[in-house]
Amino acid sequence: MKFKLNLVTLALLANAGVAGTLMTSTAVAAEGYGLQNANTSKVKFDKWVCKRCEVETGFAGTVGVGAGYNDSDDIHSANAFAAEDEFAGKVDADLTYAGKGGYRASIEADNLGMENGRLDINAGKAGQYNLNLNYRQIATYKTDSAMTPYQGVGGDDLTLPGNWQTAGSSQEMSQLYSSLNPTELSLKRKRAGMGIEYQGEELWSTYVNYQREDKSGLKQTSGSFYNQSMMLAEPVDYTTDTIEAGIKLRGDNWFTAINYNGSIFKNEYSQLGFDNAFNPTFGAANRGYMSLDPDNESHTVSLMGQVIADKTIMSGRVHYGQMTQDQEFVTSGYGYQVPAESLDGRVDMTGVNLKLVSRINRSVRLNASYDYTDRDNKTNVEQWTQISIDEVNGQAAYNTPYDITTQRAKLGVDYRITRGMKLEAGYDYRTDDRSYQDRETTDEHTLWTKFRLSSFDNWDMWIKGSYGERDGSDYEASQWTSSESNDLLRKYNLADRKRTMIEARVTHSPIDTLTLDFGTRYAIDDYNETQIGLTESKDLSYDASVSYLLNDDMTVTAFYNRQNIDSDQAGSSNFAAPNWTGTVEDQVDVIGAGFSYNNLMEKKLRLGVDYTYSDSDSSTQVTQGITGDYGDYYAKSHNVNIYGQYQATPKMALRLDYKMEKYQDNDAANEIAPDGIWNVVSFGSNSHDYTAHLIMLSMSYKL
């Protein structure tokens, strides 16, 4: 009898030992005809090579460069364009290298050279080790037209011009407007890091990651003398070093790891000195000082693990951390002896996280979790001579070592009613214990349920509802925190509250090329025991989106989102019962649409356009006998991106992008003239109203 070998036969031969074990009785019954007795002496194994299984080596991917022109008269547009200067350039890359023996490397670059650039490099051997280098840049811009009379901006010593004439009010300062110079308020962060991962024997692996972040720029602050103040540009020159390291152990049904995370923060500047622009009154000085963010450290060690036992998964994590701050106090301008040279601050943090998921049967799954965190402030309590304004004596004060312990417990169950129909329900509990607060303990209880239905063709929908209450220990005004507060005042994070929430989502695909999605959420917080403070808050949001494939080449997308947040509060102007109320109404609308057309000009050209519009409005009304608008705020922006990509050759593509942003806002806090308030020297009007354009030409090449 002829026996023809093929790939299936070879697979069976490779597992002949297993097959023989599983089919012993069959082998005995057909002795001499088992696979283990097959004659393979004339088989040419070297010819059996899977030609399609060869792993390609060498480089693959794309590289690209781009150059653009930025037309803007307001630096705020750099938040959208990631381009601060008139001319911009970038490098993009998505490259991989595969070598023999499993060696691999990759380079990913996105907008490298622009204000939101990113670079990620990996190299190593699959299943053994990997080396990583990374870089990230992030920038945020507020304004480039903050007007200040101070000299030395960018450093820690701000002085007024030599011909400055102090006065009792900003309107009387004769040299104010002639001394004003524009200042840019922006912050830039640059992160660079490196790391290594090593996979040891089957059971263990380890990793070490290091990252340094440099943050620089100017941010807004203010300096005061009694009841007079000046807006100042605070220098930012921070360095943060972060290191992570750990060892992981893994078995068939278990996993454990021990990790370390540490960070060291350093500020180049410890204090900011500034001249007094006003006449020194009430014992005020000609020069003031303020301390800036102090150097500090944070270190955390954690142990985590997971065990799988049949249909149950148990995981947990315990951690211990410590934060310290021991920088010397700034005593410039302070005429009293301090009880210590530094704070010698220390905060210990401990925590436990436990989670269990168990499938009871095919229809029921149980999940539970418990979280414990404790923040123990062990900083020494000292007595200080309180200074409200330079050379004005205050009462003795003590630094308050705030502690908080939080415990959270959750219990939930999933019940699969039938195929495409599931019911979920749960109970959440939280308790917080605080020291030196108006309320030492708060407890929260929440019940929720969720129903999901996907049994109908092309439909997926769910609805979720919850109800929760917060109460706790007696509310008592504390001498540490509320000596100057109305006894009837209730802080919103400590007050009794009833919260009701419902949310739902529906997704429908009536045809294969069309997808519709709609969701909504409504929540109401009722602070039913509050007489003075936040009494009610409502949050309503909904969104809708559509994606439609007109044909194989054309796609249309659109979306809309709205959120309304309304809050009511009550207050007292005579330190007694409430006699005024306030209402704040916030509304945010976001609209977007996009269209793309592919395969034009013999399948070489792609055209597209994306548009978004956002509008946020906030209004405040105060009623005390009569009703009046306290002030309105709005911010509106139109963003358009029109692009075209042309495949010039099989490997080279050209892309042209045109971006436009039209932005406008109105904030009363940014509309104050330098002398608009008699006892304030402000940065002037810093609202935005501009139309900016960016044209970017880029080229990509496929290796």
Side-chain angles (χ1 to χ4, degrees):
M1 180 178 66
K2 295 184 179 180
F3 189 81
K4 187 175 181 180
L5 291 173
N6 53 32
L7 290 178
V8 176
T9 306
L10 293 175
L12 293 172
L13 286 173
N15 294 278
V18 177
T21 302
L22 296 177
M23 298 184 294
T24 303
S25 59
T26 303
V28 172
E31 185 176 357
Y33 294 93
L35 292 174
Q36 64 272 22
N37 297 319
N39 184 4
T40 60
S41 60
K42 296 183 180 181
V43 177
K44 298 180 180 180
F45 289 99
D46 57 336
K47 299 295 184 180
W48 298 348
V49 178
C50 179
K51 296 181 179 180
R52 296 183 179 180
C53 299
E54 293 182 0
V55 179
E56 296 183 1
T57 59
F59 286 96
T62 60
V63 293
V65 296
Y69 173 73
N70 180 27
D71 179 18
S72 175
D73 57 3
D74 193 319
I75 201 170
H76 187 270
S77 65
N79 293 309
F81 292 165
E84 175 183 1
D85 301 321
E86 184 176 6
F87 295 97
K90 68 170 184 174
V91 174
D92 297 317
D94 186 5
L95 294 173
T96 59
Y97 171 79
K100 296 181 179 180
Y103 292 98
R104 298 186 63 84
S106 65
I107 300 176
E108 295 182 11
D110 183 30
N111 287 338
L112 191 61
M114 303 188 73
E115 299 301 332
N116 61 348
R118 181 181 64 87
L119 175 66
D120 199 58
I121 301 175
N122 289 280
K125 188 174 183 180
Q128 293 189 15
Y129 65 88
N130 183 72
L131 300 174
N132 174 263
L133 298 174
N134 59 81
Y135 173 82
R136 180 75 186 273
Q137 181 169 318
I138 304 173
T140 55
Y141 298 88
K142 183 176 181 180
T143 182
D144 57 358
S145 58
M147 307 301 292
T148 178
Y150 283 95
Q151 300 173 344
V153 172
D156 60 355
D157 185 19
L158 302 179
T159 60
L160 291 167
N163 63 345
W164 185 264
Q165 297 293 321
T166 61
S169 69
S170 56
Q171 291 94 341
E172 298 172 347
M173 296 176 181
S174 58
Q175 302 298 318
L176 176 58
Y177 277 89
S178 62
S179 303
L180 295 175
N181 292 299
T183 298
E184 178 183 318
L185 300 179
S186 63
L187 296 174
K188 297 182 179 180
R189 291 186 289 173
K190 297 182 179 180
R191 301 174 184 170
M194 60 184 300
I196 181 172
E197 297 180 14
Y198 179 75
Q199 178 67 49
E201 304 267 333
E202 293 183 358
L203 281 178
W204 68 277
S205 63
T206 185
Y207 71 94
V208 177
N209 295 317
Y210 168 77
Q211 185 178 85
R212 163 164 285 193
E213 177 180 287
D214 293 317
K215 187 176 183 179
S216 60
L218 294 171
K219 65 180 181 179
Q220 178 178 317
T221 188
S222 61
S224 299
F225 296 90
Y226 191 56
N227 65 338
Q228 299 164 330
S229 63
M230 297 80 60
M231 289 186 179
L232 305 173
E234 178 184 329
V236 174
D237 192 352
Y238 304 158
T239 299
T240 304
D241 294 298
T242 304
I243 186 169
E244 294 179 282
I247 298 176
K248 304 175 183 179
L249 300 175
R250 182 185 300 274
D252 293 338
N253 298 310
W254 59 273
F255 163 83
T256 188
I258 183 169
N259 302 314
Y260 164 78
N261 183 289
S263 68
I264 300 176
F265 170 85
K266 293 187 178 298
N267 189 352
E268 182 67 20
Y269 301 105
S270 60
Q271 69 177 27
L272 177 63
F274 52 94
D275 288 345
N276 187 356
F278 294 87
N279 290 332
T281 57
F282 302 99
N286 293 312
R287 188 159 179 79
Y289 299 88
M290 67 173 64
S291 60
L292 303 181
D293 298 335
D295 298 348
N296 59 80
E297 298 184 11
S298 174
H299 305 273
T300 303
V301 177
S302 62
L303 175 66
M304 64 182 67
Q306 177 176 290
V307 176
I308 302 176
D310 195 18
K311 298 179 180 180
T312 300
I313 301 176
M314 295 172 289
S315 59
R317 176 178 179 264
V318 295
H319 70 271
Y320 172 78
Q322 188 177 98
M323 298 187 295
T324 57
Q325 185 262 302
D326 196 26
Q327 183 169 306
E328 291 187 0
F329 287 125
V330 172
T331 57
S332 301
Y334 184 81
Y336 301 87
Q337 184 176 359
V338 293
E341 294 182 354
S342 67
L343 178 67
D344 192 20
R346 173 183 165 185
V347 176
D348 291 347
M349 301 171 296
T350 55
V352 177
N353 309 101
L354 303 173
K355 187 174 182 179
L356 180 145
V357 178
S358 180
R359 183 171 293 280
I360 306 301
N361 52 46
R362 295 183 60 184
S363 301
V364 180
R365 186 180 67 176
L366 181 69
N367 54 82
S369 66
Y370 171 76
D371 299 315
Y372 170 89
T373 58
D374 178 68
R375 184 183 187 274
D376 185 9
N377 192 336
K378 294 189 174 181
T379 305
N380 291 330
V381 178
E382 306 285 357
Q383 178 177 318
W384 310 85
T385 303
Q386 181 177 331
I387 303 299
S388 56
I389 301 296
D390 286 9
E391 302 304 324
V392 178
N393 295 340
Q395 297 179 348
Y398 299 86
N399 57 291
T400 307
Y402 295 109
D403 299 330
I404 182 170
T405 300
T406 300
Q407 299 182 72
R408 298 182 180 90
K410 297 182 179 181
L411 179 64
V413 60
D414 300 350
Y415 175 57
R416 182 175 178 268
I417 301 173
T418 185
R419 182 178 180 181
M421 189 180 300
K422 185 169 71 171
L423 179 65
E424 302 174 45
Y427 166 71
D428 300 344
Y429 171 75
R430 171 174 176 164
T431 180
D432 292 281
D433 294 310
R434 304 173 177 87
S435 64
Y436 304 106
Q437 294 286 324
D438 298 335
R439 200 174 203 179
E440 293 185 354
T441 303
T442 57
D443 299 311
E444 295 185 40
H445 308 264
T446 303
L447 290 170
W448 61 270
T449 184
K450 180 179 180 180
F451 177 71
R452 183 161 192 167
L453 181 63
S454 58
S455 56
F456 300 118
D457 291 342
N458 304 320
W459 286 89
D460 187 4
M461 60 191 78
W462 58 265
I463 184 170
K464 180 179 179 180
S466 65
Y467 175 78
E469 291 190 3
R470 179 174 67 197
D471 54 20
S473 59
D474 292 338
Y475 202 108
E476 298 178 356
S478 168
Q479 62 174 342
W480 296 88
T481 61
S482 304
S483 60
E484 299 178 358
S485 298
N486 192 322
D487 289 343
L488 298 177
L489 174 66
R490 297 293 182 264
K491 299 175 181 178
Y492 77 94
N493 64 314
L494 301 176
D496 287 354
R497 183 194 67 196
K498 296 181 179 180
R499 170 174 290 177
T500 304
M501 184 181 68
I502 186 169
E503 53 187 328
R505 180 160 297 278
V506 177
T507 302
H508 179 45
S509 299
I511 56 177
D512 293 341
T513 57
L514 177 63
T515 300
L516 306 173
D517 183 78
F518 174 79
T520 185
R521 176 183 181 273
Y522 176 76
I524 179 171
D525 291 344
D526 180 13
Y527 298 86
N528 56 306
E529 298 294 333
T530 296
Q531 296 185 56
I532 294 180
L534 183 63
T535 57
E536 186 178 79
S537 177
K538 298 178 182 178
D539 186 350
L540 171 64
S541 64
Y542 49 89
D543 63 88
S545 65
V546 57
S547 177
Y548 184 36
L549 183 64
L550 299 176
N551 54 45
D552 292 341
D553 299 325
M554 290 188 291
T555 303
V556 175
T557 59
F559 67 89
Y560 172 69
N561 176 273
R562 164 170 283 192
Q563 183 175 20
N564 291 94
I565 302 175
D566 300 331
S567 57
D568 298 327
Q569 60 181 355
S572 173
S573 60
N574 56 9
F575 214 71
N579 60 5
W580 65 265
T581 59
T583 300
V584 180
E585 297 179 350
D586 298 325
Q587 179 174 304
V588 179
D589 292 284
V590 181
I591 301 172
F595 173 76
S596 64
Y597 197 157
N598 300 324
N599 299 322
L600 292 168
M601 296 180 61
E602 299 179 350
K603 298 187 178 182
K604 293 184 178 181
L605 180 64
R606 178 188 180 191
L607 299 176
V609 58
D610 294 314
Y611 168 77
T612 58
Y613 168 75
S614 62
D615 181 5
S616 61
D617 293 275
S618 178
S619 63
T620 302
Q621 287 188 337
V622 177
T623 302
Q624 187 172 8
I626 60 175
T627 300
D629 289 334
Y630 185 79
D632 295 335
Y633 164 81
Y634 68 81
K636 303 177 181 180
S637 68
H638 300 263
N639 290 87
V640 179
N641 182 19
I642 302 174
Y643 61 90
Q645 181 169 312
Y646 181 71
Q647 195 71 36
T649 70
K651 291 190 174 184
M652 185 180 70
L654 299 174
R655 178 174 171 131
L656 181 65
D657 284 85
Y658 166 72
K659 296 182 180 181
M660 184 275 289
E661 180 182 53
K662 181 176 177 59
Y663 183 92
Q664 184 180 23
D665 64 24
N666 174 38
D667 188 347
N670 291 331
E671 287 292 338
I672 304 173
D675 59 352
I677 303 176
W678 74 270
N679 59 345
V680 176
V681 176
S682 82
F683 279 147
S685 176
N686 287 296
S687 292
H688 305 282
D689 187 358
Y690 64 85
T691 301
H693 310 270
L694 175 69
I695 297 177
M696 177 73 70
L697 177 63
S698 56
M699 183 269 292
S700 62
Y701 185 80
K702 184 177 181 180
L703 300 181

